[in-house]
Amino acid sequence: MSEVSAVQIPVYNRSDPTLWFIMCESTFKLAVPKPIIESVTKFNYVVSHLPPEVASLVRDILMNPDVTDPYTHLKTELINRSGESSQQEIRQLLSGEELGTRKPSELLRNMKRRAETLKVPETFMLELFLQRLPTSVQTILAAVTDLTLDKAAEISDRILEVTPVPMEIHAVNKNNSNSMEEKLLCEIEKLNARIDKLEFSRSRSPFRRNRRKRKRRRIDATCSLPQTSRRLFIRDRISNISFLVDTGSDVSLIPANTYQKRNSSQQTLFAANSSTINVYGQKTLSLNFNLRRDFLWTFLIADVSIPILGADFLHYFELVPDLRNKCLRDTKTKLQSVGHLKYADLHSVQISISKDTIYHKLLKEFPSITKLPNPNQPVKHTTVHHIVTKGPPVVSKPRRLAPDRLKIAKSEFRNMMHLGHLRPSKSNYASPLHMVPKKGTLDWRPVGDYRALNSQTIKDKCPIPCIADFTAELHGSKLFSRIDLIKAYHQIPINSEDIHKTAICTPFGLFESTRMQFGLCNASATFQRFIDEVTRGLPGVYSFVDDILIASKNHEDHYQHLKTLFTRLDEYGLCMNVSKCIFGALTIDFLGFNLSENGIQPLPDKVKCILDFPKPDTLTQLRRFLGMFNFYRCFIPKAAHILAPIVLFLEGHTNKKKSRSSVRKSFEQLKWNENAEQAFLAAKNAIAEATLLRHPIPGAQLSLWVDASDVAIGGTLSQLSQGKW
């Protein structure tokens, strides 16, 4: 399975599992670099895409799969268990199928599918089909001679296409005289009768004869109330997907698939009932609502059941929903797109703050920094990314792509060009296009392979801060907040004179980027310089790339520090991920360390990873362990002395990146002795008892203690506090 890629299994079809398996088998044949033919591989793909409630139907087969042919066995049993019986098919054929908002031809195809195994005569099928059609259509078809099923469906489609308003079929039970509508009308008449009696008795009172007669108030039924909630849906002509038009939702959303839900949430939204909705990313779609223009919009991929057109989409394209006429009106073109009303058990989605602390109330005053950044918004700062190179331009031939990846690349490039982040190029530079699989999905992301360009780029030496730069100023701080920025890289444009150097050659043309991209060697330095400019002069604010720490001595100072920072973020057009931010905490995790009023110490979960690390068998594993241990080396007294027997394994071995001979040695088995094993256990015990490091006290007396031996050298920097070192 590791050799097979680019296999995207369709969503499970509950109504027709047989058709779903046919689609899966076609997908297996299109797999690259070779088709999937092994039964076990097919079985694993199918199982991973079954909904939980469907998987429970074949739980016994999933727990004990067939040894010889697990895929065929699962396919047969799932179709038998999830499909409808012949009695159910007959009931659905006779009474369960309704036209609704479908085309008559679509209804006929569904009826034929149910009648495949029942051997229903065509004349009987024709009669059943005609009963499902509106009365006006039946009247027209009655005059047609030699009417067949296919001919009836074709004529019905044409009739309904020219109908001004789409017709809806509602099943009405004539025997049910106690419907909700009749009850409401009856109650209204009773109330009117009581009002008449009250007015008559009031007019006969001798104390009210000389007063002006009041106008009689009457309760009228202006319209019949629907028995269920009706929402407006508009169908996209490109994807044939119906979108819910919801003016109460702040943002536009599309449902996340199973693979996208495995990723960590980028943002948290809230429904009208205060439940949380996770956001897993963004996707740009081109929609066509038959309004003589396409609607290209970036949707949030969220944990919702149906796609939503929110207030942001409607306001940007100047669209107005009309529920009475069941349509969406375009105020620009003066056209309207006919939709349909149906029940939708979904609450409006809002971008709000769930908690009610003073800091979250302050955050509500800056709504623009709590939303995902709009790719169409203009840049609000002057920072640009420079690419200073030496030597001749780097040139590469375009790499060939598989058909499915080529389609994805074209779609992504088209969307980025619409946003203004990409444009056609005539550059003498050409870096190849590289397709990177998205984490947790079978989808792909097109990026530029800038390794050749990076080798000729003069490196930007802007320093990236370390944790010691922050902790040196945290003495006396008691309250901490952490801000996590989101999608900030793409807010930095590339210098106009260097845009041509970002050119990417593809099988469908040469393109260059106008915004800073991942993969450019100086991108992190540029962003650190930018975030330093954003936070410059702000008290108690410390930034590390897209993570910002705020430390204060009391609640009043902390409130002012946050308010100043929020104002600065709003000025620069930056947005924050509220779900990952922490406000006003006494202790906080930052850059792999736990910060508090008392000092700094390692994170317990990181320490647990070191304690659970198995004894290394190769040099590669040993280097991995030493890298994890040395990250917290400053907390371990006599760390060099403890690790001395283990470090001896590295003698005579250079960096594995410098020579190929050392790569082979890196995978040789290590020969452990008693001293090395004791040192390995001692290192784990030392990290488990790591020392808490205090924050430096400004102005306190310093004392430096140093020592050395044959195998180690070390020192301790102490301060005099309350008469003690």
Short mmCIF file of all heavy atoms in Angstrom, two decimals, residues 252-280:
data_model
loop_
_atom_site.label_atom_id
_atom_site.label_comp_id
_atom_site.label_asym_id
_atom_site.label_seq_id
_atom_site.Cartn_x
_atom_site.Cartn_y
_atom_site.Cartn_z
N SER A 252 -19.20 31.73 5.60
CA SER A 252 -19.65 30.67 4.69
C SER A 252 -18.82 29.43 4.94
O SER A 252 -17.58 29.51 5.07
CB SER A 252 -19.51 31.13 3.24
OG SER A 252 -20.28 32.29 3.01
N LEU A 253 -19.48 28.27 4.97
CA LEU A 253 -18.84 27.03 5.37
C LEU A 253 -19.16 25.91 4.39
O LEU A 253 -20.19 25.93 3.71
CB LEU A 253 -19.32 26.60 6.77
CG LEU A 253 -19.28 27.64 7.89
CD1 LEU A 253 -20.00 27.11 9.10
CD2 LEU A 253 -17.85 27.99 8.24
N ILE A 254 -18.26 24.94 4.33
CA ILE A 254 -18.51 23.68 3.64
C ILE A 254 -18.14 22.55 4.59
O ILE A 254 -17.27 22.71 5.45
CB ILE A 254 -17.69 23.56 2.33
CG1 ILE A 254 -16.19 23.73 2.60
CG2 ILE A 254 -18.18 24.55 1.30
CD1 ILE A 254 -15.34 23.53 1.36
N PRO A 255 -18.81 21.39 4.49
CA PRO A 255 -18.55 20.30 5.44
C PRO A 255 -17.14 19.73 5.26
O PRO A 255 -16.60 19.66 4.16
CB PRO A 255 -19.62 19.26 5.09
CG PRO A 255 -20.66 20.02 4.32
CD PRO A 255 -19.94 21.10 3.58
N ALA A 256 -16.55 19.32 6.37
CA ALA A 256 -15.25 18.67 6.37
C ALA A 256 -15.44 17.17 6.20
O ALA A 256 -16.40 16.59 6.73
CB ALA A 256 -14.49 18.96 7.67
N ASN A 257 -14.53 16.54 5.46
CA ASN A 257 -14.60 15.08 5.31
C ASN A 257 -13.90 14.39 6.47
O ASN A 257 -13.35 15.03 7.37
CB ASN A 257 -14.01 14.65 3.96
CG ASN A 257 -12.58 15.13 3.78
OD1 ASN A 257 -11.80 15.19 4.73
ND2 ASN A 257 -12.22 15.49 2.56
N THR A 258 -13.89 13.07 6.41
CA THR A 258 -13.33 12.30 7.52
C THR A 258 -11.85 12.57 7.71
O THR A 258 -11.37 12.70 8.85
CB THR A 258 -13.57 10.80 7.28
OG1 THR A 258 -14.97 10.58 7.07
CG2 THR A 258 -13.11 9.98 8.47
N TYR A 259 -11.10 12.69 6.62
CA TYR A 259 -9.66 12.91 6.74
C TYR A 259 -9.35 14.29 7.29
O TYR A 259 -8.42 14.47 8.07
CB TYR A 259 -9.00 12.72 5.37
CG TYR A 259 -8.99 11.29 4.90
CD1 TYR A 259 -9.92 10.85 3.97
CD2 TYR A 259 -8.08 10.37 5.40
CE1 TYR A 259 -9.93 9.54 3.54
CE2 TYR A 259 -8.07 9.07 4.98
CZ TYR A 259 -9.00 8.65 4.05
OH TYR A 259 -9.01 7.34 3.63
N GLN A 260 -10.12 15.29 6.86
CA GLN A 260 -9.88 16.65 7.35
C GLN A 260 -10.19 16.77 8.84
O GLN A 260 -9.55 17.56 9.54
CB GLN A 260 -10.73 17.63 6.55
CG GLN A 260 -10.28 17.78 5.11
CD GLN A 260 -11.30 18.48 4.24
OE1 GLN A 260 -12.47 18.53 4.57
NE2 GLN A 260 -10.85 19.01 3.11
N LYS A 261 -11.15 16.01 9.34
CA LYS A 261 -11.48 16.07 10.75
C LYS A 261 -10.40 15.46 11.63
O LYS A 261 -10.39 15.66 12.83
CB LYS A 261 -12.81 15.36 11.00
CG LYS A 261 -14.01 16.08 10.42
CD LYS A 261 -15.31 15.34 10.71
CE LYS A 261 -16.49 16.06 10.11
NZ LYS A 261 -17.77 15.34 10.36
N ARG A 262 -9.50 14.67 11.02
CA ARG A 262 -8.40 14.10 11.80
C ARG A 262 -7.35 15.14 12.13
O ARG A 262 -6.55 14.95 13.05
CB ARG A 262 -7.76 12.95 11.02
CG ARG A 262 -8.71 11.75 10.82
CD ARG A 262 -8.04 10.68 9.97
NE ARG A 262 -8.93 9.56 9.73
CZ ARG A 262 -8.64 8.52 8.95
NH1 ARG A 262 -7.46 8.47 8.36
NH2 ARG A 262 -9.51 7.55 8.77
N ASN A 263 -7.31 16.23 11.38
CA ASN A 263 -6.34 17.29 11.65
C ASN A 263 -6.79 18.13 12.85
O ASN A 263 -7.95 18.11 13.24
CB ASN A 263 -6.19 18.19 10.41
CG ASN A 263 -5.68 17.43 9.21
OD1 ASN A 263 -4.98 16.44 9.35
ND2 ASN A 263 -6.05 17.88 8.02
N SER A 264 -5.86 18.85 13.40
CA SER A 264 -6.18 19.72 14.53
C SER A 264 -6.99 20.92 14.05
O SER A 264 -6.82 21.41 12.94
CB SER A 264 -4.90 20.19 15.22
OG SER A 264 -4.08 20.90 14.30
N SER A 265 -7.84 21.41 14.91
CA SER A 265 -8.71 22.53 14.57
C SER A 265 -7.90 23.83 14.50
O SER A 265 -7.10 24.12 15.38
CB SER A 265 -9.84 22.66 15.60
OG SER A 265 -10.60 23.81 15.36
N GLN A 266 -8.11 24.61 13.43
CA GLN A 266 -7.43 25.88 13.28
C GLN A 266 -8.17 27.02 13.97
O GLN A 266 -7.58 28.04 14.31
CB GLN A 266 -7.27 26.21 11.79
CG GLN A 266 -6.40 25.23 11.03
CD GLN A 266 -6.21 25.64 9.59
OE1 GLN A 266 -6.70 26.68 9.16
NE2 GLN A 266 -5.50 24.83 8.82
N GLN A 267 -9.48 26.86 14.14
CA GLN A 267 -10.28 27.91 14.74
C GLN A 267 -11.56 27.28 15.27
O GLN A 267 -11.96 26.20 14.82
CB GLN A 267 -10.61 29.00 13.72
CG GLN A 267 -11.30 30.23 14.31
CD GLN A 267 -11.65 31.24 13.24
OE1 GLN A 267 -11.56 30.95 12.06
NE2 GLN A 267 -12.08 32.41 13.64
N THR A 268 -12.20 27.94 16.22
CA THR A 268 -13.46 27.45 16.77
C THR A 268 -14.54 28.50 16.58
O THR A 268 -14.37 29.65 16.97
CB THR A 268 -13.31 27.13 18.27
OG1 THR A 268 -12.29 26.15 18.45
CG2 THR A 268 -14.62 26.59 18.83
N LEU A 269 -15.63 28.07 15.94
CA LEU A 269 -16.80 28.92 15.78
C LEU A 269 -17.89 28.45 16.73
O LEU A 269 -17.76 27.39 17.36
CB LEU A 269 -17.31 28.87 14.33
CG LEU A 269 -16.29 29.22 13.24
CD1 LEU A 269 -16.91 29.03 11.87
CD2 LEU A 269 -15.79 30.64 13.41
N PHE A 270 -18.97 29.21 16.82
CA PHE A 270 -20.04 28.89 17.74
C PHE A 270 -21.38 28.98 17.03
O PHE A 270 -21.64 29.93 16.28
CB PHE A 270 -20.02 29.83 18.95
CG PHE A 270 -18.75 29.76 19.74
CD1 PHE A 270 -17.70 30.61 19.47
CD2 PHE A 270 -18.59 28.81 20.74
CE1 PHE A 270 -16.51 30.54 20.18
CE2 PHE A 270 -17.41 28.74 21.46
CZ PHE A 270 -16.38 29.59 21.19
N ALA A 271 -22.22 27.97 17.26
CA ALA A 271 -23.57 27.99 16.71
C ALA A 271 -24.47 28.84 17.59
O ALA A 271 -24.09 29.27 18.68
CB ALA A 271 -24.11 26.57 16.60
N ALA A 272 -25.71 29.07 17.11
CA ALA A 272 -26.64 29.91 17.86
C ALA A 272 -27.03 29.29 19.19
O ALA A 272 -27.43 29.99 20.11
CB ALA A 272 -27.89 30.17 17.01
N ASN A 273 -26.90 27.95 19.30
CA ASN A 273 -27.20 27.28 20.57
C ASN A 273 -25.96 27.15 21.45
O ASN A 273 -25.94 26.33 22.38
CB ASN A 273 -27.80 25.91 20.31
CG ASN A 273 -26.85 25.00 19.55
OD1 ASN A 273 -25.80 25.45 19.07
ND2 ASN A 273 -27.21 23.74 19.41
N SER A 274 -24.89 27.91 21.14
CA SER A 274 -23.64 27.98 21.92
C SER A 274 -22.77 26.73 21.79
O SER A 274 -21.77 26.62 22.49
CB SER A 274 -23.94 28.22 23.41
OG SER A 274 -24.62 29.45 23.58
N SER A 275 -23.11 25.80 20.92
CA SER A 275 -22.24 24.65 20.68
C SER A 275 -21.06 25.07 19.80
O SER A 275 -21.16 25.99 18.99
CB SER A 275 -23.03 23.52 20.01
OG SER A 275 -23.52 23.94 18.76
N THR A 276 -19.93 24.38 19.97
CA THR A 276 -18.72 24.74 19.24
C THR A 276 -18.67 24.04 17.89
O THR A 276 -19.17 22.92 17.72
CB THR A 276 -17.47 24.35 20.06
OG1 THR A 276 -17.49 22.94 20.31
CG2 THR A 276 -17.45 25.11 21.37
N ILE A 277 -18.05 24.70 16.93
CA ILE A 277 -17.86 24.17 15.58
C ILE A 277 -16.39 24.33 15.23
O ILE A 277 -15.88 25.45 15.19
CB ILE A 277 -18.74 24.90 14.56
CG1 ILE A 277 -20.22 24.74 14.91
CG2 ILE A 277 -18.48 24.39 13.15
CD1 ILE A 277 -21.14 25.53 14.00
N ASN A 278 -15.71 23.23 14.96
CA ASN A 278 -14.29 23.26 14.64
C ASN A 278 -14.08 23.60 13.17
O ASN A 278 -14.82 23.14 12.29
CB ASN A 278 -13.65 21.91 14.95
CG ASN A 278 -13.63 21.61 16.44
OD1 ASN A 278 -13.49 22.51 17.26
ND2 ASN A 278 -13.78 20.36 16.81
N VAL A 279 -13.05 24.39 12.91
CA VAL A 279 -12.66 24.77 11.54
C VAL A 279 -11.32 24.11 11.24
O VAL A 279 -10.37 24.23 12.02
CB VAL A 279 -12.56 26.29 11.39
CG1 VAL A 279 -12.09 26.67 10.00
CG2 VAL A 279 -13.90 26.94 11.69
N TYR A 280 -11.24 23.40 10.09
CA TYR A 280 -10.04 22.62 9.77
C TYR A 280 -9.23 23.22 8.62
O TYR A 280 -8.19 22.68 8.28
CB TYR A 280 -10.44 21.20 9.41
CG TYR A 280 -11.22 20.51 10.50
CD1 TYR A 280 -12.60 20.45 10.47
CD2 TYR A 280 -10.56 19.94 11.59
CE1 TYR A 280 -13.32 19.82 11.48
CE2 TYR A 280 -11.27 19.32 12.61
CZ TYR A 280 -12.65 19.26 12.55
OH TYR A 280 -13.36 18.66 13.55
#
